[in-house]
């Protein structure tokens, strides 16, 4: 079972920063998960929200900033004073730093509001030799279909919420045409569904584990990966 550090090791360091990703490597996670958005000047940057307000000392929309302007923001002090030098990374920064060290699960955030993000991400990924260790995920199936067109050997994960779940065979057949994995919300975990998804050749990931009790429950299921803020909850299982 892959241990996937959600926004890096985000319980112990500011999410989606080098500090959180370095910690995930140190804690021997298998993957880092990160979120991408586009800047005003069409660079792909790593940040969860569509505004900078929660996780930096700036305010306003990510797409209201150029990359140079975004790079001046402090992306760590909100979490702790010792993180004041953290900056919003670009996807290119992350692939350069980590693609040979740890798997990378890239989430396309709100792709309908980020015109062209699929092509921009594919152009960056395609510069790197990749196989199983770089994946792209999204709640948006059209975005994943586009990613497969731009990067045919790229592995993709379709993130699903309970409201999106239609576990009919016909739905799973459609999902399996553009996704190598279904990433299910933890409240949806069910042995029957897991087996059914596996029978369509897809892996099963679970998001997002934030407490030890849920971690212990999840370990009993035959899943392929767990997205967690606490990679150390799972280390003994490797
Ligand atoms: O892996 C799925 C998870 O990352 C989706 O939720 O809001 O943390 O990006 P969010
Ligand atoms: Ca995410």
């Amino acid at each position: 079972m892959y241990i996937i550090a959600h926004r890096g090791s985000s319980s112990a360091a500011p999410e989606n920063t080098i500090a959180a990703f370095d910690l995930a490597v140190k804690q021997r996670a298998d993957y880092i998960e990160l979120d991408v958005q586009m800047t005003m000047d069409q660079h792909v940057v790593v940040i969860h929200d569509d505004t900078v307000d929660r996780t930096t000392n700036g305010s306003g929309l990510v797409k209201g900033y150029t990359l140079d302007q975004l790079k001046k923001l402090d992306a760590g002090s909100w979490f702790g004073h010792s993180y004041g030098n953290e900056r919003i990374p670009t996807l290119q920064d992350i692939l350069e730093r980590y693609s040979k060290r740890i798997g990378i699960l890239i989430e396309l955030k709100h792709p309908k509001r980020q015109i062209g993000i699929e092509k921009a991400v594919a152009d960056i990924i395609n510069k790197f030799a990749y196989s199983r260790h770089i994946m792209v995920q999204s709640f948006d199936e059209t975005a994943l279909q586009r990613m497969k067109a731009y990067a045919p050997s790229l592995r993709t994960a379709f993130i699903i919420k309970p409201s999106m779940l239609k576990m009919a065979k016909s739905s799973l057949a459609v999902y399996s045409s553009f996704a190598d994995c279904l990433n299910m919300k933890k409240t949806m975990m069910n042995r029957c569904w897991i087996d059914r998804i596996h029978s369509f050749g897809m892996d099963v990931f679970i998001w997002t584990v934030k407490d030890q009790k849920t971690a212990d429950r999840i370990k009993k299921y035959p899943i392929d990966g767990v997205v967690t803020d606490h990679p150390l909850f799972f280390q003994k299982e490797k």
Side-chain angles (χ1 to χ4, degrees):
M1 180 176 75
Y2 291 132
I3 300 166
I4 304 162
H6 179 235
R7 311 181 196 172
S9 194
S10 58
S11 62
E15 65 181 56
N16 284 325
T17 65
I18 297 296
F21 299 137
D22 278 357
L23 187 56
V25 171
K26 195 171 161 199
Q27 293 176 337
R28 299 179 55 234
D30 299 296
Y31 279 77
I32 50 175
E33 189 265 357
L34 54 89
D35 309 284
V36 292
Q37 314 254 1
M38 300 264 273
T39 64
M40 182 195 286
D41 50 349
Q42 308 293 296
H43 290 276
V44 180
V45 289
V46 178
I47 184 167
H48 180 272
D49 299 356
D50 54 9
T51 71
V52 299
D53 299 45
R54 183 177 61 86
T55 56
T56 78
N57 61 342
S59 66
L61 291 170
V62 175
K63 64 182 176 193
Y65 284 80
T66 64
L67 180 60
D68 281 350
Q69 291 167 337
L70 269 189
K71 283 280 184 190
K72 295 191 174 79
L73 298 180
D74 167 355
S77 290
W78 68 275
F79 189 89
H81 294 306
S82 59
Y83 294 106
N85 289 327
E86 294 301 323
R87 295 292 175 265
I88 296 172
T90 63
L91 181 60
Q92 174 90 21
D93 295 335
I94 296 299
L95 292 181
E96 283 171 3
R97 188 177 175 96
Y98 298 105
S99 65
K100 294 198 173 120
R101 298 163 70 194
I102 191 168
I104 302 171
L105 175 60
I106 301 161
E107 181 175 352
L108 302 180
K109 225 55 197 163
H110 314 301
K112 287 193 172 56
R113 302 206 295 260
Q114 315 267 343
I115 304 302
I117 194 166
E118 300 92 339
K119 177 75 165 54
V121 168
D123 285 348
I124 296 166
I125 291 174
N126 282 333
K127 289 188 226 160
F128 293 80
Y130 64 87
S131 53
R132 288 187 70 87
H133 72 289
I134 295 180
M135 294 183 72
V136 167
Q137 66 171 357
S138 183
F139 286 106
D140 186 318
E141 57 187 89
T142 307
L144 294 179
Q145 286 160 348
R146 288 197 184 118
M147 288 306 304
K148 284 280 191 190
Y150 293 133
S153 58
L154 179 69
R155 284 170 50 78
T156 56
F158 184 34
I159 313 173
I160 47 180
K161 295 177 183 167
S163 58
M164 297 158 68
L165 193 64
K166 299 184 199 89
M167 296 306 275
K169 286 184 180 169
S170 56
S171 303
L172 288 175
V174 172
Y175 297 163
S176 68
S177 69
F178 61 84
D180 302 284
C181 173
L182 294 189
N183 190 359
M184 295 200 298
K185 193 169 184 182
K186 61 193 172 198
T187 51
M188 299 162 68
M189 209 168 37
N190 165 305
R191 179 66 197 248
C192 174
W193 288 350
I194 293 167
D195 290 347
R196 193 178 278 190
I197 294 164
H198 280 154
S199 77
F200 277 81
M202 292 181 283
D203 287 346
V204 179
F205 291 173
I206 298 293
W207 60 284
T208 296
V209 176
K210 296 172 186 277
D211 64 274
Q212 184 74 60
K213 194 172 160 206
T214 307
D216 291 343
R217 185 168 64 86
I218 273 171
K219 289 171 190 173
K220 298 180 185 132
Y221 288 84
I223 60 168
D224 306 285
V226 59
V227 181
T228 180
D229 295 352
H230 296 264
L232 294 179
F233 284 169
F234 294 90
Q235 284 303 335
K236 287 193 187 122
E237 305 307 306
K238 290 182 81 176

